Amino acid sequence: MKRVFQVILLIIQLLMATGITFLWQTVTADNSKIIIVPDDYQTIQEAIEAATEGDTIYIRAGTYIERVSIIQKDSISIIGEGANVTVIKGPFEAVPQCFDAVITIIHSHNILLKGFKIVPPESGGVEGGIYIVESSNCTITKNIITGFTVSCGSFACKGLSAAIKMEGATDNKIYENHISDNHVGIDLGATRAYSVYPTENNLIYRNNFVNNNDHVRGPTNNIFLKGRRVDVGLQKNFWDNGYEGNYWDDYAGEDSDGDGLGDTPYIIEEENIDHHPLVNPINFSWVRRAGEGASNYPPYITIALITTVIIAAIGICIFAARRSGFLKLRRKHSPKNLLHISM
């Protein structure tokens, strides 16, 4: 019996080693790195500066007071442990500068920004939450961006701060974010201060736009829509994925068939229309509160731990079944036993 137990333990150990090695090789097959803040670096900015193409940066729960700049970086994922538990707060500024943002993405591509609450400092301020300049194929998802109401007081800034600003940004995806209590929700190149290129062909859907003075702002010619100012002159962007659009708290349409989608489109301007506006705000399941016990481990470690537990459980079941007699192994007589019997 002892030998059977030892064999089972050996098999479990081999499977664990093989599984973890396989998972690690899968993650690092292209020489990419996993960087964890604050384990490997104390600040998010230090981790970004150390990152190279293909790397993933995981940010543990906590509040990080810093300004983050992603400049000329490609294919980097920056993932927080969860909105509301991983907070990036802008540093204090006595006089906010135009186009300052908590997170700036400039001349970078294929950047993933996920799982953060992005807020300004309690006093002073920065002008924006996320600023994307001449960057493409970036994904902004599962974030809470709120409270950007500080004016820089400059004519160039038009005196307004925004949750997300974009200049010359194309083919980006912004979805499943909660954007609330800002002067502007999304600013699509209001000034073109840093880029002469248009902001176009971005996909923006399944976001909550709540209690912003302006949900969307563009380059020129102020107009008013449903009591809120919206600028025309936008290049074409896409505000739904063909099935679902965004929740706009000033949408006045009806939902006669009860499918959760408005019967009429939400018109931002002629070339920018949400054809499938949501009539109710999205209750995002990914929004956690501190203490809810989510894993602090990156996904590949979590998978390895789950695999280990499953394998161990199988081994224990086999051992218990063997002890109970449910599984009986046929004993084979050795030549010595046979010789003893023949005598």
Side-chain angles (χ1 to χ4, degrees):
M1 182 62 64
K2 184 177 180 181
R3 178 173 294 181
V4 172
F5 183 67
Q6 289 175 339
V7 170
I8 290 173
L9 285 179
L10 179 61
I11 292 172
I12 291 172
Q13 291 172 351
L14 289 173
L15 289 173
M16 287 169 54
T18 303
I20 293 173
T21 301
F22 172 76
L23 289 168
W24 178 256
Q25 288 177 344
T26 300
V27 172
T28 60
D30 56 354
N31 296 320
S32 60
K33 300 190 300 294
I34 301 295
I35 300 172
I36 301 177
V37 176
D39 300 35
D40 300 318
Y41 295 92
Q42 287 297 306
T43 68
I44 300 171
Q45 187 60 48
E46 288 175 333
I48 289 171
E49 290 172 358
T52 56
E53 186 171 348
D55 289 353
T56 299
I57 302 171
Y58 288 101
I59 318 298
R60 292 193 187 277
T63 298
Y64 300 83
I65 301 176
E66 59 179 296
R67 183 178 292 111
V68 176
S69 298
I70 307 164
I71 302 175
Q72 294 182 336
K73 295 280 188 177
D74 293 331
S75 302
I76 292 176
S77 297
I78 306 166
I79 302 173
E81 193 169 334
N84 262 17
V85 296
T86 309
V87 181
I88 305 179
K89 179 184 290 187
F92 171 79
E93 286 185 352
V95 180
Q97 301 299 310
C98 289
F99 314 111
D100 274 356
V102 178
I103 301 174
T104 305
I105 303 172
I106 301 177
H107 297 160
S108 299
H109 311 282
N110 297 304
I111 302 297
L112 170 63
L113 187 67
K114 175 182 176 182
F116 297 99
K117 184 175 184 180
I118 302 167
V119 297
E122 287 83 1
S123 59
V126 290
E127 203 215 345
I130 302 173
Y131 193 18
I132 306 173
V133 181
E134 292 189 1
S135 299
S136 63
N137 296 303
C138 297
T139 299
I140 311 297
T141 186
K142 294 180 171 53
N143 302 290
I144 298 172
I145 313 168
T146 184
F148 291 92
T149 59
V150 175
S151 170
C152 70
S154 164
F155 175 77
C157 296
K158 294 189 178 180
L160 298 175
S161 54
I164 300 175
K165 287 192 170 190
M166 306 174 79
E167 294 270 358
T170 59
D171 300 302
N172 298 290
K173 184 185 294 185
I174 300 172
Y175 72 98
E176 293 191 357
N177 299 283
H178 186 83
I179 300 170
S180 65
D181 301 295
N182 305 286
H183 272 319
V184 179
I186 294 185
D187 187 332
L188 298 171
T191 60
R192 293 188 182 175
Y194 288 156
S195 176
V196 297
Y197 299 106
T199 293
E200 60 185 354
N201 203 38
N202 298 288
L203 177 59
I204 304 165
Y205 71 101
R206 280 186 59 80
N207 301 285
N208 288 334
F209 289 91
V210 179
N211 200 36
N212 303 296
N213 291 341
D214 301 332
H215 289 326
V216 182
R217 189 160 66 113
T220 57
N221 302 327
N222 294 342
I223 62 171
F224 285 84
L225 173 67
K226 300 184 181 70
R228 298 183 185 275
R229 192 189 74 227
V230 178
D231 295 350
V232 298
L234 298 174
Q235 300 297 317
K236 186 171 183 178
N237 294 280
F238 299 93
W239 300 88
D240 61 76
N241 63 357
Y243 304 96
E244 293 181 301
N246 302 277
Y247 172 73
W248 312 89
D249 68 353
D250 59 352
Y251 176 66
E254 297 182 355
D255 177 18
S256 59
D257 58 3
D259 64 353
L261 303 176
D263 297 335
T264 55
Y266 183 90
I267 301 174
I268 298 167
E269 59 94 46
E270 183 178 358
E271 290 293 325
N272 289 270
I273 299 173
D274 184 343
H275 297 91
H276 305 283
L278 307 176
V279 296
N280 296 305
I282 303 168
N283 184 16
F284 293 119
S285 61
W286 46 260
V287 176
R288 295 198 297 108
R289 308 291 174 182
E292 287 185 350
S295 171
N296 288 326
Y297 299 108
Y300 74 93
I301 295 179
T302 301
I303 293 171
L305 290 174
I306 292 172
T307 303
T308 300
V309 170
I310 292 173
I311 293 172
I314 292 172
I316 292 171
C317 290
I318 293 173
F319 178 71
R322 180 72 181 89
R323 286 292 300 270
S324 66
F326 184 76
L327 293 177
K328 293 183 180 293
L329 299 177
R330 178 181 294 179
R331 176 177 293 179
K332 294 184 179 180
H333 294 289
S334 66
K336 181 177 180 180
N337 290 335
L338 290 175
L339 179 61
H340 178 74
I341 292 172
S342 64
M343 290 176 63

